[in-house]
Amino acid sequence: MALNQEHELHQRRRGRNLGVGLTLMAFVLLVFGLSIAKVQRGEPMQGYDHVYQPESDPTLRRAGASE
């Protein structure tokens, strides 16, 4: 008699855990891929830390475009 017999419940849980793990890994890879794509495109990376940023002020953009 084997001491390490697995119950049917453990086999079902292993399958569900594998599915959740693969889904989580796919999400992480998606976020990582999007981050790499943004960095490679060369877009400016700005942190919005509650500091006035003139380049994002729409009134200044309109004034600069009319001149």
Side-chain angles (χ1 to χ4, degrees), residues 1-2 27-28 35 40 42-43 46 48 52 60-63:
M1 186 167 150
F27 178 72
V28 167
S35 299
Q40 286 181 349
E43 292 182 5
Q46 292 183 349
Y48 295 101
Y52 176 69
L60 293 177
R61 271 192 256 154
R62 268 187 277 144

Side-chain angles (χ1 to χ4, degrees), residues 8-25:
E8 173 260 334
L9 179 67
H10 293 123
Q11 292 172 351
R12 283 190 288 160
R13 283 185 182 167
R14 180 176 293 123
R16 288 183 193 144
N17 288 343
L18 184 62
V20 169
L22 290 175
T23 303
L24 180 62
M25 183 58 71

Side-chain angles (χ1 to χ4, degrees), residues 19-61:
V20 169
L22 290 175
T23 303
L24 180 62
M25 183 58 71
F27 178 72
V28 167
L29 290 174
L30 176 69
V31 170
F32 180 72
L34 290 173
S35 299
I36 294 297
K38 184 173 174 92
V39 167
Q40 286 181 349
R41 276 182 25 188
E43 292 182 5
M45 304 283 263
Q46 292 183 349
Y48 295 101
D49 53 358
H50 307 291
V51 176
Y52 176 69
Q53 298 173 343
E55 64 271 7
S56 63
D57 190 352
T59 58
L60 293 177
R61 271 192 256 154

